[in-house]
C-alpha cells in the first residue's frame, strides 16, 4: 500500500508538471520535437561529409598547383636548354666573315650536327608535351575550383539550415523546461 501511495504521488507530480508545461505552451508535439532532432542530425552528417569533401578537394588542388609549378619550372629549363642548343646549332651552320670563326662544314662532324638537330627536336617535343600537360592540369584545377565553390556554397546553406534547426530545437527544449 505504501508503494501504491508513492506511485500515486509520483503520478500526481508528473501530471502537475505536464499541466504546467501544457499551460505555458498548449499541446506539445513530441513527434515534432523528435523530427526536428532527426533533421538536425541529418544536416550535421551532411555538413561533416561536405567538410571532408572540401578538404579532399583542397588537398587535390594543392597537389595540382605544385605539379603545375614543377612543370612550369621544367618547361623554362627546357626552353633555356633548347635556346642554347639552337644557338649552338646556328653557330655551327652559319659562318662569320672571320676565317677563324668560319666553320668548315666539309670537315665538320656530320654525326655531331645530326646529334644537335635531334637533340633540338627532342627538346621541342618535350616542351610541347609539357605545355599540353600544363594546359590539362589547369583545366582540371579550374574544375576543382568550380566544385570547391559549389561545395562551399552548399556547406554554407547546410550550416544555415543547421543553425536554424538548432535554434528551433533549443527554443523547443527551453520551452519544455
Amino acid at each position: 500500500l505504501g508503494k501504491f501511495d508513492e506511485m500515486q504521488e509520483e503520478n500526481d507530480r508528473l501530471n502537475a508538471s505536464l499541466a504546467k508545461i501544457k499551460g505555458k505552451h498548449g499541446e506539445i508535439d513530441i513527434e515534432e520535437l523528435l523530427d526536428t532532432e532527426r533533421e538536425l542530425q541529418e544536416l550535421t552528417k551532411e555538413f561533416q561529409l561536405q567538410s571532408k569533401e572540401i578538404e579532399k578537394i583542397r588537398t587535390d588542388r594543392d597537389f595540382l598547383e605544385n605539379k603545375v609549378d614543377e612543370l612550369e619550372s621544367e618547361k623554362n629549363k627546357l626552353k633555356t636548354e633548347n635556346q642554347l642548343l639552337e644557338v649552338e646549332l646556328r653557330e655551327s651552320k652559319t659562318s662569320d666573315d672571320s676565317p677563324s670563326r668560319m666553320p668548315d662544314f666539309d670537315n665538320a662532324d656530320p654525326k655531331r650536327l645530326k646529334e644537335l638537330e635531334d637533340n633540338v627536336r627532342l627538346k621541342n617535343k618535350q616542351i610541347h608535351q609539357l605545355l599540353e600537360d600544363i594546359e590539362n592540369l589547369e583545366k582540371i584545377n579550374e574544375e576543382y575550383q568550380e566544385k570547391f565553390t559549389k561545395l562551399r556554397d552548399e556547406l554554407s546553406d547546410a550550416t544555415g539550415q543547421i543553425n536554424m534547426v538548432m535554434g528551433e530545437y533549443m527554443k523547443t527544449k527551453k520551452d519544455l523546461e
Side-chain angles (χ1 to χ4, degrees):
L1 194 60
K3 190 79 159 166
F4 178 74
D5 288 338
E6 287 177 25
M7 288 175 61
Q8 183 64 36
E9 286 176 23
E10 179 71 17
N11 188 27
D12 290 342
R13 191 179 59 76
L14 290 173
N15 282 333
S17 294
L18 184 59
K20 184 178 175 185
I21 291 172
K22 283 183 179 181
K24 285 184 183 176
H25 312 289
E27 278 298 313
I28 295 174
D29 190 359
I30 298 295
E31 198 59 40
E32 183 180 327
L33 181 60
L34 292 173
D35 286 345
T36 302
E37 191 169 355
R38 277 190 289 269
E39 186 179 350
L40 175 61
Q41 289 173 347
E42 288 173 14
L43 288 172
T44 302
K45 285 179 185 175
E46 182 180 339
F47 176 80
Q48 290 169 344
L49 288 173
Q50 287 179 349
S51 293
K52 286 178 184 176
E53 191 167 343
I54 285 176
E55 188 56 38
K56 182 187 179 306
I57 288 173
R58 282 183 180 149
T59 302
D60 289 348
R61 183 196 63 206
D62 291 344
F63 171 78
L64 289 173
E65 285 175 350
N66 288 337
K67 189 69 173 172
V68 166
D69 290 343
E70 288 174 15
L71 289 172
E72 286 284 346
S73 174
E74 188 172 344
K75 178 187 83 169
N76 290 335
K77 179 183 165 194
L78 287 172
K79 272 186 176 180
T80 303
E81 189 176 331
N82 189 25
Q83 289 170 346
L84 291 173
L85 288 171
E86 285 176 346
V87 167
E88 186 179 332
L89 183 62
R90 236 180 285 121
E91 287 176 356
S92 69
K93 286 186 175 182
T94 60
S95 65
D96 196 273
D97 286 340
S98 86
S100 62
R101 290 210 26 129
M102 231 169 125
D104 184 6
F105 288 112
D106 295 331
N107 295 332
D109 185 8
K111 193 174 187 181
R112 173 74 177 133
L113 289 176
K114 175 94 170 100
E115 184 180 304
L116 287 173
E117 287 176 357
D118 290 344
N119 200 1
V120 168
R121 280 191 202 99
L122 177 65
K123 296 301 179 183
N124 281 337
K125 189 175 182 179
Q126 288 175 339
I127 289 171
H128 180 72
Q129 182 62 46
L130 287 172
L131 289 172
E132 285 180 1
D133 290 348
I134 288 171
E135 201 173 287
N136 289 335
L137 287 172
E138 286 175 344
K139 285 179 185 176
I140 291 170
N141 194 22
E142 285 178 23
E143 291 171 7
Y144 274 122
Q145 289 290 350
E146 289 173 11
K147 191 173 182 181
F148 175 77
T149 302
K150 180 182 173 192
L151 282 172
R152 188 181 59 219
D153 292 344
E154 289 176 6
L155 186 60
S156 178
D157 291 344
T159 301
Q161 289 177 351
I162 286 173
N163 289 336
M164 183 182 70
V165 169
M166 184 60 111
E168 290 174 9
Y169 175 75
M170 294 305 287
K171 182 181 179 287
T172 306
K173 188 175 179 182
K174 184 178 179 184
D175 289 346
L176 287 176
E177 292 175 346

